[in-house]
Amino acid sequence: MNEKRSSVHGEWSSGLIFILAATGSAVGLGNLWRFPYLVGENGGSAFVLLYLACILLVGMPIMIAEVTLGRKGRRSPINSLRLIARDEGVSQQWALVGWMGVVAGVLILSFYSVVGGWSLFYGFEALKGSFVGISSDEATGLFEGLVADGPTVLLWHTLFMVILFSIVAAGVKKGLQRAVTLLMPLLFFLLLGLVVYGMTTEGFGEAITFLATPDLSVIDGGVFLAALGQAFFTLSLGMGAIMVYGAYLPQQNSIPVSSGWIVGMDTLTALLAGLAIFPIVFSVGLEPGEGPGLVFVTLPIVFGEIPLGTLLGIVFFILLSVAAITSGMSLLEPAVAYLTESFGGSRVKSAATMAVLIWLVGAACGLSLNAWSDITLWPGKNIFDSLDHVASNILLPLGGLFVAFFVGWKIRTNTVAAELDTHNHHYLFLLWLWATRVIAPAAVIFIFLNATGLLALISG
Ligand code: PHE
């Protein structure tokens, strides 16, 4: 029962490659597109504060728990959970958590691919020189024009899905491992450069105030939930992406150390994105609460002004697309791994099945911003926003809650301790264990109750 399984899908060449791949999964549109606009919509630094608290108290322990499950199970999340539950003598229905993750992955990738398509479109616009001397009104017009144009959105969404499919079908190890190693650091430096540029603009002071002076009065159940959802979204937690990557992690590498790097780099990237974008927002007089167009409206203005702006714009939006692709792969991988395991089928067929399904749902998301804008699924939200809300703010935290409960309470502590190999770090292990058992689940439940208004009801 305690012998080690090996992965049927292959393993990363080293622990470092795992860190890069998982960071590639974590760092994506969530950091550069979603984080800044949520900060803007949810009142600035109070949101940032809650987000950081969620990363530390909920995200970090669950990251370790997910990687541990993955490496122990060595299969797709659905099968890993089933096998581990069987080994531990608990109900195999825990595999349902893996299924829920697959659903969340489909929903997220659907709108993610639409936004990935926007990134590709912007790379192309940069290439055409469209940003040169662009005013803030023109930049707003460019974005609104794109979103209103159904066929164009569908075209770029299709291109994004085709690229993603080709990579995942080929297997993660070739091409991607190498691409990630090379491109992620480049993206990081480019972002750093944009921050330095932001420091020279007149909006920098205002941006710092906005990001670092919390106005706690703006916090309500909705802001809390958005911060929690963003913590899960940005760390790729709660749907099996990190779990399946953990399944390919060589046995000798440390899970807590790797997790620390992933969480650290992801958080740093999000904060840098905020520091790059808000100075521009304030210097050109845009609204921080602009919504999903924020990064696509602000950055072209900068690229239109600075020396070598056209070239840097092309590079930036290509890298943004790459970041989206490395995240998109991990959104696809749990389902593809499962299909490949179950039907003994080829990876190509599994990837094609998922890609077609997701393309269809994604097409509905793309159209929901123009032709189908009247259709609402979640009260008051179009298809795009409904899928984002349900998947990111409900399914991911719920998945994380189950993972924490399973690892913390259902699996024997010895099993977990052996996988984490924590002999020399007894106190750190206990700290993590109780964070997983109590703190993370309590935080998720508190935020859920708070958001539904039940908390107010209970406390009278
Ligand atoms: N973490 C990715 C991002 O920030 C998105 C993602 C969510 C990837 C969930 C995998 C799973 O862009």
Side-chain angles (χ1 to χ4, degrees), residues 24-32 105 108 112 230 232-237 239-242 266 323-324 326-328 330-331 396:
S25 161
V27 175
L29 296 170
N31 307 62
L32 299 151
I108 292 177
Y112 206 87
Q230 175 61 13
F232 276 93
F233 189 94
T234 192
L235 294 177
S236 308
L237 293 176
M239 55 75 61
I242 288 295
D266 184 75
T326 56
S327 301
S330 71
L331 280 158
L396 295 186

Side-chain angles (χ1 to χ4, degrees), residues 77-159:
I78 296 174
N79 284 327
S80 286
L81 287 163
R82 192 177 52 75
L83 289 171
I84 297 171
R86 192 196 61 191
D87 290 351
E88 295 291 309
V90 299
S91 165
Q92 295 188 32
Q93 300 296 329
W94 280 97
L96 287 174
V97 177
W99 281 104
M100 196 172 85
V102 166
V103 173
V106 169
L107 300 185
I108 292 177
L109 193 47
S110 303
F111 68 82
Y112 206 87
S113 169
V114 171
V115 183
W118 296 349
S119 315
L120 290 171
F121 170 87
Y122 266 74
F124 184 63
E125 285 299 310
L127 196 66
K128 288 198 309 195
S130 309
F131 302 159
V132 181
I134 199 171
S135 69
S136 74
D137 282 347
E138 286 163 342
T140 310
L142 180 66
F143 179 72
E144 284 172 355
L146 165 67
V147 168
D149 180 355
T152 304
V153 168
L154 285 189
L155 178 78
W156 292 96
H157 158 58
T158 308
L159 187 63

Side-chain angles (χ1 to χ4, degrees), residues 134-396:
I134 199 171
S135 69
S136 74
D137 282 347
E138 286 163 342
T140 310
L142 180 66
F143 179 72
E144 284 172 355
L146 165 67
V147 168
D149 180 355
T152 304
V153 168
L154 285 189
L155 178 78
W156 292 96
H157 158 58
T158 308
L159 187 63
F160 185 86
M161 271 320 286
V162 169
I163 298 175
L164 198 56
F165 160 75
S166 334
I167 294 172
V168 175
V172 176
K173 225 171 159 176
K174 293 187 206 126
L176 226 99
Q177 262 192 200
R178 222 167 301 140
V180 173
T181 331
L182 217 70
L183 294 170
M184 297 313 288
L186 195 58
L187 180 71
F188 193 79
F189 283 114
L190 213 61
L191 208 55
L192 217 58
L194 286 173
V195 174
V196 172
Y197 172 80
M199 289 165 93
T200 67
T201 64
E202 60 198 75
F204 190 67
E206 211 177 326
I208 292 294
T209 313
F210 183 67
L211 291 172
T213 336
D215 169 10
L216 299 182
S217 69
V218 302
I219 297 179
D220 61 15
V223 174
F224 238 124
L225 186 65
L228 179 75
Q230 175 61 13
F232 276 93
F233 189 94
T234 192
L235 294 177
S236 308
L237 293 176
M239 55 75 61
I242 288 295
M243 204 187 295
V244 82
Y245 275 18
Y248 313 151
L249 173 64
Q251 197 61 45
Q252 68 274 15
N253 296 106
S254 160
I255 293 177
V257 172
S258 317
S259 304
W261 276 104
I262 301 160
V263 172
M265 298 213 277
D266 184 75
T267 309
L268 197 59
T269 313
L271 295 178
L272 283 181
L275 280 177
I277 287 166
F278 285 106
I280 306 156
V281 171
F282 291 113
S283 25
V284 300
L286 287 165
E287 278 299 310
E290 178 95 7
L294 192 63
V295 62
F296 293 101
V297 173
T298 45
L299 292 188
I301 301 174
V302 185
F303 293 129
E305 272 177 7
I306 56 179
L308 291 180
T310 296
L311 180 67
L312 290 176
I314 299 168
V315 176
F316 180 85
F317 283 107
I318 290 176
L319 289 176
L320 183 61
S321 310
V322 171
I325 287 165
T326 56
S327 301
M329 290 165 29
S330 71
L331 280 158
L332 211 49
E333 184 63 19
V336 170
Y338 176 72
L339 290 181
T340 311
E341 286 161 13
S342 315
F343 309 121
S346 68
R347 230 187 130 76
V348 177
K349 260 189 238 157
S350 315
T353 312
M354 292 312 297
V356 170
L357 175 69
I358 290 163
W359 183 86
L360 284 171
V361 187
C365 286
L367 292 176
S368 77
L369 301 172
N370 37 71
W372 294 357
S373 59
D374 293 340
I375 304 175
T376 53
L377 294 180
W378 189 270
K381 291 186 193 292
N382 61 24
I383 301 176
F384 185 112
D385 292 339
S386 301
L387 297 197
D388 186 358
H389 180 70
V390 170
S392 314
N393 296 348
I394 301 174
L395 294 180
L396 295 186

